[in-house]
Amino acid sequence: AYTGRDEQHAEVWLMPAAGGPARRLTWLGSDLAVRGFSPEGHIVFCSNHGQPFFRNWHGFTIDPTRPGALPERLPLGQMDHIAFGPGGRRAIGRNTGDPARWKRYRGGRVGQLWMENGSSGSFRRMSELQGNLTSPMWLAERLYFLSDFEGVGNLYSCLPDGSALRRHTHHADFYARHAATDGQRIVYQNAAELWLYDPASDSTRRLDIHVPTARTQATRRAVPLAENLHNVALHPAGHSLVAEARGQIFSMALWEGAVQQHGHGPARRRLPTWLADGQTLVMASDASGEEQIEVLEGGSAHTLPWALGRITALTAA
């Protein structure tokens, strides 16, 4: 799961880890960032969706196994990160942006980590930790995070009460950034490279990355309708219209309701026209290989067996 801007707004996308086509899961039109998966297998992301201020982010989950599922908001207040620990315990990050963009910041918007008291739903600020904190992650019984309290952002960990602080990376030139975990290891960015931290050996190494193609040229894309609108016909009752755009036929109500596409398959359809009954659509279609009249009625479609040559106009009598 990742944050993608393939269709302008940042949204939640899902794709196979080995590569392949991606699937868009949200349509929020607001800032968001994917933070991983919940223990139930739901994608967790933080967003300012539905908030009056752009920095007021909250946590959401969405079930990737349910097509069309709506995001569900977590009742935990403002947060930028969340980590799920053993026994249902959680840690959340507030103001936990990217410290590399605001190096050694110590002001009122400094990143904070809040630890849940058991699984009670009440949290306390981990004031023992210093620096601008971000990216909380659970591995076994320790909470890992990024901090720049020693000058440059590196990976640290501590016990849930903030004690037994340890430093695990030693980058001196560039910040460790955007850390994420699968519950066993941690991957993070340093400069223009990805690094892997393995707690079993308490060591890090740079990763050689081979990215399978995302088949960019084959992905869907949005085009301006105003530049591709060809024919429009009003419904006989006047409550909706049917339009032709880029060889496809769409109908929609004039004020509210969903847009519906008519006719499927590789064909160019033109000149949509309502018949007087208000239920039947006729149009010119080359679905058969030659241009003929296609009739859509009651959810079914059939083509009239007439060879008419190039159709230039249709009129309902």
Side-chain angles (χ1 to χ4, degrees):
Y2 64 95
T3 307
R5 292 178 173 83
D6 301 50
E7 298 178 357
Q8 298 184 352
H9 294 293
E11 301 289 355
V12 178
W13 291 72
L14 186 70
M15 67 176 291
R23 180 163 57 98
R24 180 175 173 178
L25 300 182
T26 63
W27 308 81
L28 301 179
S30 56
D31 283 344
L32 63 79
V34 171
R35 299 307 190 196
F37 288 82
S38 70
E40 298 79 21
H42 296 176
I43 298 171
V44 180
F45 65 96
C46 294
S47 172
N48 62 0
H49 172 65
Q51 299 301 313
F53 304 107
F54 71 95
R55 287 175 177 164
N56 190 17
W57 284 36
H58 290 251
F60 296 83
T61 63
I62 187 168
D63 186 353
T65 65
R66 293 173 52 209
L70 295 176
E72 297 183 6
R73 181 171 162 180
L74 297 173
L76 298 175
Q78 182 183 359
M79 71 172 71
D80 296 88
H81 287 82
I82 183 169
F84 298 89
R89 197 173 196 181
R90 297 166 293 186
I92 63 175
R94 290 177 172 164
N95 299 327
T96 47
D98 180 11
R101 298 172 61 91
W102 211 347
K103 296 178 175 64
R104 290 168 287 280
Y105 175 71
R106 298 294 184 271
R109 292 195 63 249
V110 68
Q112 310 166 6
L113 300 186
W114 291 69
M115 178 64 66
E116 186 174 18
N117 296 321
S119 57
S120 62
S122 63
F123 292 76
R124 71 166 188 90
R125 180 180 173 182
M126 301 182 72
S127 56
E128 342 26 55
L129 305 179
Q130 304 177 44
N132 198 2
L133 310 174
T134 189
S135 302
M137 300 162 287
W138 283 98
L139 275 78
E141 298 295 329
R142 296 185 67 84
L143 181 69
Y144 289 74
F145 56 92
L146 300 179
S147 175
D148 64 354
F149 79 96
E150 293 183 307
V152 176
N154 275 285
L155 180 66
Y156 298 82
S157 74
C158 67
L159 294 177
D161 62 0
S163 63
L165 181 68
R166 298 179 190 168
R167 177 173 173 174
H168 302 284
T169 63
H170 302 277
H171 300 289
D173 297 322
F174 301 100
Y175 272 51
R177 308 171 65 187
H178 309 305
T181 181
D182 62 354
Q184 298 180 342
R185 298 171 297 174
I186 292 174
V187 173
Y188 61 92
Q189 175 191 350
N190 183 256
E193 299 173 330
L194 292 181
W195 287 67
L196 175 71
Y197 168 72
D198 187 353
S201 59
D202 196 28
S203 61
T204 60
R205 62 181 176 89
R206 186 178 63 85
L207 296 175
D208 293 324
I209 301 297
H210 301 277
V211 181
T213 176
R215 299 193 288 184
T216 304
Q217 297 299 324
T219 59
R220 67 185 183 189
R221 62 189 179 94
V223 297
L225 178 61
E227 300 176 8
N228 298 275
L229 186 63
H230 297 289
N231 292 280
V232 176
L234 189 65
H235 190 277
H239 56 61
S240 59
L241 57 82
V242 62
E244 170 199 342
R246 290 177 61 86
Q248 304 298 321
I249 306 302
F250 306 90
S251 66
M252 66 200 77
L254 298 183
W255 302 109
E256 61 184 9
V259 176
Q260 183 178 358
Q261 182 176 351
H262 300 277
H264 299 280
R268 179 175 179 83
R269 295 176 171 89
R270 304 182 301 113
L271 307 172
T273 303
W274 294 102
L275 294 189
D277 62 4
Q279 303 294 323
T280 307
L281 268 175
V282 296
M283 64 197 70
S285 170
D286 61 3
S288 65
E290 296 184 3
E291 196 158 80
Q292 295 175 296
I293 294 180
E294 185 174 352
V295 180
L296 280 71
E297 182 179 12
S300 62
H302 63 275
T303 303
L304 300 182
W306 304 332
L308 301 174
R310 174 69 174 175
I311 301 173
T312 58
L314 284 176
T315 301

